[in-house]
């Protein structure tokens, strides 16, 4: 009798957890298709952009957050080596948390693809331990969706995927006051490391950007607003090709690998 009662309680708990997850998923955007343009700014340029934004932009619901990411790759870094060759099509897999993630906290498992100049992103909201166990092959995905199926295929195709780098940064995010899809983000204190690859740890590591620089990203479905175009031109801010993981690999991870081979 007690066993049956326990089973019923467990089933009810699973059903409640599923309903809660479904409700959260419905409230959070999980599919993106947009253009993303990146710029490296000085502190003075950032202040000029912020002044120009005041009539048009406001902090989004996240405001200023500490973002932590685990990037997945193969044993020989196949994904990032391919990405820095600037192919027409590239893809990456990461798990992201907003703030420090406890094992029972929520994270996003994200599959990000870029074809020509368009970025496509699919993401699932999961508990941190669920995401880790799923991507490590210790369990199936707790939700059955098209996005889960795409990530499953991605993981099976590359076979040896595992977390290879922790990347964290402080982000300020702004959304359009008119409700449009145009967004602006500023990322500072970008850090990377290859030890303690968990999202429930402290944010520490080697700096990816030169001191004083800020990474600004403009995210839109089409063209940049005219007021932003004028601001970029007036402040002599120019678009750059920049990848946090790619820069970390080229400037920090790959040199460390070469040094390890020399001293082996």
């Amino acid at each position: 009798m007690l066993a049956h009662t326990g089973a019923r309680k467990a089933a009810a708990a699973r059903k409640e957890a599923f309903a809660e997850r479904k409700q959260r998923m419905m409230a959070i955007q999980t599919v993106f298709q947009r253009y993303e343009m990146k710029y490296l700014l000085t502190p003075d340029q950032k202040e000029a952009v912020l002044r120009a934004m005041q009539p048009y932009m406001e902090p989004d619901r996240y405001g200023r957050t500490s973002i932590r990411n685990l990037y997945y790759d193969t044993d020989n870094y196949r994904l990032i080596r391919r990405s820095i060759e600037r192919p027409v099509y590239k893809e990456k897999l990461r798990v992201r948390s907003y703030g420090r993630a406890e094992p029972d906290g929520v994270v996003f498992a994200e599959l990000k693809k870029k074809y020509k100049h368009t970025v496509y992103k699919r993401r699932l909201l999961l508990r941190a331990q669920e995401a880790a166990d799923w991507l490590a092959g210790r369990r199936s995905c707790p939700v059955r969706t098209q996005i889960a199926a795409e990530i499953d295929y991605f993981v099976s195709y590359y076979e040896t995927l595992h977390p290879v780098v922790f990347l964290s940064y402080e982000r300020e995010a702004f959304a359009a006051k008119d409700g449009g899809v145009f967004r602006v983000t500023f990322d500072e204190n970008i850090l990377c490391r290859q030890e303690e690859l968990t999202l429930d740890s402290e944010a520490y590591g080697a700096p990816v950007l030169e001191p004083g620089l800020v990474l600004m990203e403009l995210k839109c479905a089409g063209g940049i607003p005219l007021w932003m175009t004028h601001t970029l031109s007036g402040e002599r801010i120019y678009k750059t090709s920049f990848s946090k993981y790619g820069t970390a690999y080229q400037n920090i991870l790959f040199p460390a690998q070469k040094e390890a081979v020399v001293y082996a």
Side-chain angles (χ1 to χ4, degrees), residues 113-147:
K113 307 177 182 183
K114 187 174 183 179
Y115 177 66
K116 294 185 177 179
H117 301 293
T118 306
V119 172
Y120 304 88
K121 187 166 75 171
R122 311 278 192 270
R123 64 181 186 178
L124 286 177
L125 184 66
L126 301 169
R127 298 199 181 279
Q129 194 59 54
E130 290 176 342
D133 290 343
W134 171 38
L135 297 178
R138 294 189 291 267
R139 62 163 297 166
S140 59
C141 183
V143 295
R144 294 183 180 181
T145 65
Q146 176 61 31
I147 298 174

Side-chain angles (χ1 to χ4, degrees), residues 208-220:
V208 174
L209 285 179
E210 294 180 15
L213 288 183
V214 179
L215 176 65
M216 178 178 74
E217 294 188 39
L218 306 183
K219 306 175 182 184
C220 57

